[in-house]
Amino acid sequence: AQSVTQLGSHVSVSEGALVLLRCNYSSSVPPYLFWYVQYPNQGLQLLLKYTTGATLVKGINGFEAEFKKSETSFHLTKPSAHMSDAAEYFCAVSRSGGGADGLTFGKGTHLIIQP
Amino acid sequence: GAGVSQSPRYKVAKRGQDVALRCDPISGHVSLFWYQQALGQGPEFLTYFQNEAQLDKSGLPSDRFFAERPEGSVSTLKIQRTQQEDSAVYLCASSFRAREHYEQYFGPGTRLTVT
């Protein structure tokens, strides 16, 4: 079964600093990987996804992630944090690897931005 | 265009009551997913529909949970004889089932509190 592990339930960075949220996956098939963001009392919004092809994926709001098969990682980064980035972030992997299936999510990382 | 909508947004039920949660997916989306998100956790997959066919219900926690999508559009998640452990946010997501466009769009969720 596919799974993801997010290291760090809370990450705190200063405004303008680099954001790094860690995600490692386990998959018996080539994975489809996703990062979602959740603001309070809202649904999840897709930040970016990796399916096939280029391993460096760019998403919305200046975020990007790099798929590293050798490290089974898909870490999320942003060069300069903004106060509006404060939210809960979830890494997810497709359950079947085929794309048309549900997702398995990590437990989430709460990103705190210090002024 | 309109996103995924869910109703009610909040539901309080007494233990033992039955509840029904509604999801209106994005028009034209053939895949529909239900997830359960406990407080402080990531969403957990419950079930998946392709049009009216329920292709995977392996995540439903017990036979008290039942989901349907009779006309391939609106879906209802029903929980019979609610228990306190059913308290969670129930998220619905839909997607246009094409491999290269695989992205799940989430609704705002229904927060169920069982007292």
Side-chain angles (χ1 to χ4, degrees):
Chain A
Q2 278 62 253
S3 66
V4 292
T5 302
Q6 293 184 240
L7 298 177
S9 60
H10 291 78
V11 170
S12 180
V13 302
S14 298
E15 190 175 18
L18 171 72
V19 175
L20 170 61
L21 304 182
R22 300 177 186 274
C23 173
N24 287 88
Y25 70 91
S26 172
S27 179
S28 57
V29 297
Y32 283 19
L33 294 160
F34 306 81
W35 275 100
Y36 280 86
V37 61
Q38 187 176 37
Y39 298 100
N41 297 318
Q42 295 186 27
L44 284 74
Q45 180 184 11
L46 182 68
L47 282 175
L48 48 79
K49 63 180 179 181
Y50 169 78
T51 53
T52 59
T55 56
L56 182 62
V57 180
K58 294 186 183 299
I60 62 171
N61 301 339
F63 285 94
E64 62 182 37
E66 186 170 10
F67 171 66
K68 292 187 176 180
K69 183 177 179 180
S70 61
E71 299 178 7
T72 62
S73 70
F74 190 57
H75 301 331
L76 182 71
T77 61
K78 182 174 181 177
S80 177
H82 191 273
M83 295 299 290
S84 61
D85 294 327
E88 193 81 18
Y89 291 80
F90 294 96
C91 181
V93 63
S94 175
R95 295 174 73 244
S96 69
D101 199 350
L103 300 175
T104 296
F105 286 86
K107 293 184 181 298
T109 298
H110 186 65
L111 178 62
I112 301 163
I113 310 298
Q114 305 280 4
Chain B
V4 178
S5 61
Q6 294 185 246
S7 60
R9 289 293 313 276
Y10 303 90
K11 177 69 177 178
V12 179
K14 292 186 177 180
R15 190 162 56 94
Q17 283 185 330
D18 297 348
V19 298
L21 312 180
R22 177 187 169 106
C23 173
D24 285 81
I26 293 172
S27 178
H29 280 196
V30 300
S31 294
L32 186 144
F33 308 83
W34 284 98
Y35 295 87
Q36 179 190 59
Q37 186 176 20
L39 188 64
Q41 300 295 315
E44 292 197 1
F45 171 82
L46 294 177
T47 187
Y48 157 55
F49 289 86
Q50 183 178 323
N51 294 308
E52 69 279 3
Q54 189 174 19
L55 298 186
D56 189 344
K57 56 181 181 180
S58 61
L60 296 176
S62 77
D63 58 8
R64 295 186 295 104
F65 286 70
F66 173 76
E68 61 182 6
R69 194 186 185 199
E71 297 180 358
S73 179
V74 171
S75 178
T76 302
L77 177 67
K78 298 179 179 179
I79 309 173
Q80 298 177 326
R81 304 181 304 282
T82 53
Q83 304 294 317
Q84 283 195 318
E85 61 263 29
D86 299 335
S87 295
V89 175
Y90 290 85
L91 295 167
C92 175
S94 70
S95 73
F96 177 69
R97 189 180 173 270
R99 193 178 186 89
E100 60 275 19
H101 294 112
Y102 179 74
E103 174 181 344
Q104 294 187 23
Y105 294 83
F106 282 80
T110 293
R111 183 178 298 277
L112 174 64
T113 303
V114 181
T115 61

